[in-house]
Structures are given as C-alpha cells and as structure tokens.
Amino acid sequence: MTKPDHQLPKTLTGEPRAFFGRRSGKKLHDGQQAVFDATLPALEIKLTGALDPRTLFPEAQKIIIEIGYGGGEHLALEAGRHPDTGYIGCEVFTGGIGKMVQTIAAQKLANIRLYTDDALKLLMQLPEASIDEIYLLYPDPWPKTRHHKRRFVSPTTLAELARVIRPGGQFHFATDIEDYANWTLAHIVRAPQFSFAPENPGGWHEPYPGWEATRYEQKARREGRLVSFYFSFMRV
C-alpha cells in the first residue's frame, strides 16, 4: 500500500521522493526471530517528529550515522572500538537488521540504535549540525541509467547531509563502482557545503584507517572488482 505523500521524503521541488529499497529477504529462523523480537524494540528509533540524537546518547562524545549498514560488520566493529561514541544504523533490509540485532545482543553493544525506514526520513527530523560523521558504504549503485534517480546520493540527500553534519564533520562514501564514484564527485562539486581535499592523488583508493573488508567487499573482490573508492568529504 502506498503511503500518503505527506509521509514521504520530498525532493527539493517539493515532490514526494519514492523509496526504492529491499525491505524483505529470507525468513529468519526461529532462533534468529526470537532474538530479533526480544532485542529490536529497545534499539529501534521510532520517529514521532523532530529528534535530538543527544536524547539517544546523552553521554556520547560523538554521534555517527551509518546508512545502509548491510550485515553490520563495519557498524559493530566501530561501535566496539569506540564505546564513547553513539551510532545510529539505518537499514531497511530485514536480513541485515536481523544480523545487526544478533550482533548487538551477542557483543553487548550499548551504543547503537537502529532506524529501519528510509534514512532520508531520519535526516529530515534531525537538528542542524547535530551529527559528527555519516557513512554511506557500498550503496546500491543502480547501474542502469533509467534507475540513476534511485541512487541515494542526490541534491536532496546532500542538502540534508550538509544540514545535519556539523562544520568540520565528515561524510564518508565508499563504492567499487567507478560510475557511482564519478556520480558522487560530480554532485559534491556542486555542493559548496562540502570540500574534497585528498592528501595525495589516488589516495582515495586506500581504505579508511582501521578498515576491515565487509562481506560485500570480499564478494566484489572474488567477482573481479578489485578497485574501490574511499572518499571523505568535509563539511565546511
């Protein structure tokens, strides 16, 4: 059933922005479902209006969002490494949410909250300059030209990212698809709120400090996609 337009994120022209993402997958087995049902309610962010992320993590030194965390490998690793940072993970794919919930329970990670709908809806409800960093790692590239409008990086989303990331904060974007890398750079150069100043030419092919390859990245390497792009854009 289609939601009313007023519940959908809007484009810069005010038109509803449709969400194109998988929301289901393989059914969780009984054990997974039990952990999911018992754990998710305490972790899930339910929007009822504007949200100050500091209410989620009142003692946190930093607050970081990861959009589309997939199996949650990077999110869990970083949360374990930085217990004084609050993390918000955004994912709509039920298989990924299930894995993340299991990991949080198994590792007793107390500094993660989960949002299970379109990440743009969350961004639109956050205060200005309320987030320190945002990660978008290996998003769906929607390779067909007619589907490019479905890519997460767009003028609409970059405007919201720029609004919620504090000055001096960063937007990190990684992909193994060169066309999507070029697409993102083309949008960034049109967004004066962000700067891109790599330390050396080609340095964007070097993983982020402390990076450990996700299952998606390992799969890409097996399939012959051997080069990735690891961009970091600063909010000016």
Side-chain angles (χ1 to χ4, degrees):
M1 180 177 179
T2 302
K3 294 184 178 181
D5 287 354
H6 71 275
Q7 295 183 8
L8 294 171
K10 301 295 192 293
T11 65
L12 291 180
T13 60
E15 298 172 349
R17 170 187 173 272
F19 176 75
F20 301 91
R22 297 186 300 169
R23 296 182 182 273
S24 62
K26 294 181 180 179
K27 184 178 179 179
L28 301 177
H29 63 62
D30 291 345
Q32 292 174 317
Q33 190 67 52
V35 175
F36 186 93
D37 293 340
T39 309
L40 182 61
L43 301 172
E44 188 174 11
I45 296 171
K46 294 286 191 180
L47 291 179
T48 58
L51 172 68
D52 182 351
R54 286 288 166 187
T55 63
L56 303 174
F57 310 104
E59 304 298 325
Q61 295 184 13
K62 296 172 63 176
I63 297 180
I64 294 175
I65 294 176
E66 183 169 338
I67 297 172
Y69 55 77
E73 300 97 330
H74 178 264
L75 180 57
L77 180 67
E78 290 299 300
R81 286 173 171 171
H82 306 286
D84 56 351
T85 295
Y87 290 86
I88 298 175
C90 301
E91 180 61 66
V92 299
F93 184 39
T94 52
I97 299 168
K99 290 176 183 177
M100 189 74 256
V101 166
Q102 283 188 298
T103 301
I104 290 172
Q107 298 184 17
K108 296 181 172 57
L109 298 172
N111 56 333
I112 299 178
R113 297 295 181 270
L114 303 179
Y115 184 66
T116 61
D117 202 343
D118 186 348
L120 183 55
K121 292 182 181 180
L122 175 66
L123 295 176
M124 293 173 70
Q125 296 299 330
L126 296 177
E128 294 184 8
S130 59
I131 302 298
D132 293 278
E133 298 177 54
I134 294 181
Y135 283 87
L136 180 64
L137 305 175
Y138 291 96
D140 194 324
W142 294 106
K144 295 182 180 179
T145 301
R146 68 177 183 273
H147 291 159
H148 282 181
K149 62 184 179 182
R150 303 184 181 189
R151 290 176 167 176
F152 189 85
V153 174
S154 72
T156 301
T157 52
L158 285 180
E160 286 301 309
L161 293 174
R163 188 183 65 80
V164 303
I165 297 175
R166 65 168 176 79
Q170 292 186 309
F171 167 45
H172 306 284
F173 173 88
T175 183
D176 62 326
I177 306 299
E178 185 172 4
D179 177 67
Y180 203 177
N182 292 335
W183 165 281
T184 299
L185 287 176
H187 280 76
I188 285 290
V189 299
R190 299 186 183 97
Q193 306 95 327
F194 288 102
S195 68
F196 179 49
E199 294 183 0
N200 54 79
W204 49 82
H205 292 307
E206 299 174 6
Y208 304 120
W211 176 261
E212 291 187 15
T214 65
R215 275 174 283 184
Y216 177 89
E217 188 171 275
Q218 292 169 355
K219 178 182 177 182
R221 299 295 182 260
R222 291 195 301 268
E223 294 177 352
R225 299 192 300 278
L226 304 179
V227 177
S228 288
F229 301 80
Y230 304 90
F231 295 136
S232 291
F233 308 112
M234 181 173 289
R235 175 69 169 88
V236 297

